[in-house]
Amino acid sequence: MQFTEIGGITLHHQLIGGPANKPVFVFVNSLGTDFRIWRDVIVRLAGDFPIVTYDKRGHGLSDVGTAPYRMDDHIGDLEGLLDHLNVKDAIICGLSVGGMIAQGLYARRPDLVRALVLCDTAHKIGTDDSWNTRIAAVEKNGIASIVDTVLKLWFTPEFHEQRKDDLTGYRNMLTRQPVAGYAGTCAALRDADYTEAAKAIAVPTLCVVGDQDGSTPPALVRALADLIPGSRFKIIDGAGHIPCVEKPDELTALIKNFVAQLPPQ
């Protein structure tokens, strides 16, 4: 395990070496998860590319810090981590809130970003009311009080029926996140709007979504893609909100095809 203090927050991260002539992949996890959600994609890329992944603040083994958060807090953590690791011109692959962190990182530090893979995310997610309701629920009754509703958004009915052991594991992952970190990131999501920032993205961008995503449905992710000049939009069949878990082969194939067509540096 690797830990680094960035701006007073200790971040749990993983650096996997790869060819020096290949771009670095950076994976950013979603709300209520840790970086293990990327495992089945990472193992399909390891050896071909250098890889960085980490638990954002308030999640996994990283510090909680002071909640509620702003999206700038999450962006600053990633910026500091990449500077610490001397990573530039990376392919930032973010899921859900991780995709918003990726958009914000590009807006703040375009030198760190060669390309974006925005999975099951948007320029604006949810409403003030929806996030405030969720924050109130978890602060009063814990994450377990919303877990069934969230898991229905994360995974397809087929996953629920056929992969019950995996479902239990992801239930454990969600319910074991710190309440302050979860609610704090809900607040960051509530207050973030990258509508204008998306229009200014000038690096190659792939927007991907599961066809049964209940959190950021295909139409919402398509709206993000429409904002980003020249972006690509792909739907993964048979996936919910977390295709890196449910359909890693399909997601990895899309990513590899996208990277193969990047212009040379």
Side-chain angles (χ1 to χ4, degrees):
M1 293 189 290
Q2 298 164 302
F3 297 91
T4 299
E5 182 180 319
I6 303 296
I9 298 291
T10 296
L11 297 177
H12 177 221
H13 62 92
Q14 186 173 35
L15 172 63
I16 302 171
N21 64 336
K22 292 293 185 69
V24 179
F25 269 98
V26 178
F27 291 95
V28 193
N29 61 302
S30 57
L31 175 67
T33 68
D34 58 46
F35 72 54
R36 289 175 292 182
I37 63 168
W38 293 109
R39 178 194 176 277
D40 289 342
V41 171
I42 288 173
V43 297
R44 289 162 170 80
L45 296 172
D48 294 329
F49 300 92
I51 295 168
V52 173
T53 189
Y54 74 108
D55 294 337
K56 64 182 174 293
R57 68 167 61 195
H59 290 70
L61 300 183
S62 292
D63 279 350
V64 172
T66 302
Y69 311 135
R70 300 166 302 145
M71 199 64 71
D72 280 350
D73 296 325
H74 286 302
I75 295 163
D77 293 342
L78 178 54
E79 176 187 12
L81 179 62
L82 296 184
D83 282 342
H84 172 76
L85 297 174
N86 197 30
V87 170
K88 293 185 183 296
D89 297 316
I91 300 168
I92 312 296
C93 185
L95 174 68
S96 195
V97 66
M100 297 193 83
I101 294 168
Q103 294 172 65
L105 182 71
Y106 175 79
R108 182 189 291 190
R109 289 286 304 279
D111 60 299
L112 298 179
V113 182
R114 181 179 178 185
L116 293 167
V117 179
L118 304 177
C119 296
D120 299 80
T121 189
H123 47 292
K124 174 69 175 172
I125 300 176
T127 64
D128 287 1
D129 285 347
S130 66
W131 288 119
N132 288 335
T133 298
R134 189 181 298 199
I135 291 167
V138 300
E139 288 183 340
K140 181 179 180 180
N141 300 309
I143 296 174
S145 67
I146 66 166
V147 68
D148 289 336
T149 298
V150 172
L151 290 176
K152 288 178 182 177
L153 303 175
W154 279 10
F155 301 118
T156 62
E158 289 75 18
F159 188 96
H160 283 256
E161 294 167 5
Q162 299 170 14
R163 296 176 61 177
K164 293 186 182 298
D165 291 345
D166 292 340
L167 188 67
T168 297
Y170 285 99
R171 178 187 296 272
N172 291 341
M173 177 182 285
L174 175 57
T175 57
R176 292 175 186 176
Q177 301 304 320
V179 168
Y182 186 92
T185 300
C186 288
L189 280 158
R190 178 194 63 202
D191 299 337
D193 187 338
Y194 287 108
T195 303
E196 294 304 315
K199 299 175 184 177
I201 292 174
V203 293
T205 301
L206 171 65
C207 297
V208 181
V209 63
D211 67 333
Q212 298 175 57
D213 186 336
S215 293
T216 54
L220 180 60
V221 181
R222 181 58 190 254
L224 170 64
D226 288 344
L227 290 172
I228 301 172
S231 70
R232 305 178 192 180
F233 174 72
K234 296 291 184 181
I235 296 175
I236 297 178
D237 292 335
H241 188 55
I242 311 185
C244 50
V245 168
E246 204 157 8
K247 294 289 181 178
D249 283 329
E250 291 82 350
L251 178 57
T252 305
L254 287 174
I255 291 172
K256 286 184 173 181
N257 182 64
F258 171 67
V259 173
Q261 298 180 53
L262 290 178
Q265 287 183 302

